[in-house]
Amino acid sequence: MVKVVLRQGEHEHKWENGDTFTGEWKDNVRHGKGTFVWRSGTTLTGEFTDGSAEGTGTIAWSSGDTYTGHLRANVPDGQGTMEYANGNKYEGSWLSGNRHGEGTFTWADGHSWTGVWRFGKQTYDKLGPKDNEAST
């Protein structure tokens, strides 16, 4: 006989691959506030709906990069800030995990470029030419 465990409310679950989720569950699905930790060391803390991070949250990659802002389907989507381990920073719009829309990229040395991004690439189409290419 197989015993089925129904997760409801606060619960911690660890998968065989080493990933863990600690937080709220509804009908055996991550739903509510919680933290997902991948075995790589990357963490995602925020609001979960039907198993995915949706709404405000923070992702801290094992590389040292950190994103804080709106998430959709576990990736940056909407307004948010990415602080890179090398000291660079991007503040602005995101779409499906890419810089997309208006934003400001600031290099570790303090100079910055404000403009429009399309699917992770800087464009010239709104605020004029850039001084440098952004690289992370």
Side-chain angles (χ1 to χ4, degrees), residues 89-109:
K89 180 166 80 170
Y90 172 79
E91 297 176 272
S93 292
W94 294 82
L95 179 65
S96 301
N98 293 296
R99 293 175 279 221
H100 189 83
E102 291 188 29
T104 299
F105 190 95
T106 304
W107 284 264
D109 67 8

Side-chain angles (χ1 to χ4, degrees), residues 6 8 16 23 36-37 43 46-47 53 65 76 86 89 92 120 133:
L6 182 63
Q8 294 280 74
E16 288 183 19
F36 193 99
V37 181
T43 64
E47 290 286 331
D65 298 344
N86 65 6
K89 180 166 80 170
E133 291 291 321

Side-chain angles (χ1 to χ4, degrees), residues 37-111:
V37 181
W38 284 265
R39 69 177 176 211
S40 67
T42 296
T43 64
L44 188 160
T45 301
E47 290 286 331
F48 290 78
T49 302
D50 297 326
S52 292
E54 305 283 339
T56 302
T58 298
I59 304 173
W61 284 269
S62 54
S63 66
D65 298 344
T66 302
Y67 171 84
T68 302
H70 195 269
L71 300 166
R72 180 169 294 135
N74 300 325
V75 297
D77 195 285
Q79 293 296 307
T81 300
M82 177 76 83
E83 295 186 39
Y84 298 94
N86 65 6
N88 294 342
K89 180 166 80 170
Y90 172 79
E91 297 176 272
S93 292
W94 294 82
L95 179 65
S96 301
N98 293 296
R99 293 175 279 221
H100 189 83
E102 291 188 29
T104 299
F105 190 95
T106 304
W107 284 264
D109 67 8
H111 78 279

Side-chain angles (χ1 to χ4, degrees), residues 17-44:
N17 69 1
D19 296 346
T20 61
F21 177 79
T22 305
E24 298 173 358
W25 295 77
K26 180 180 176 186
D27 299 329
N28 233 25
V29 176
R30 296 180 301 270
H31 194 89
K33 294 179 182 178
T35 299
F36 193 99
V37 181
W38 284 265
R39 69 177 176 211
S40 67
T42 296
T43 64
L44 188 160

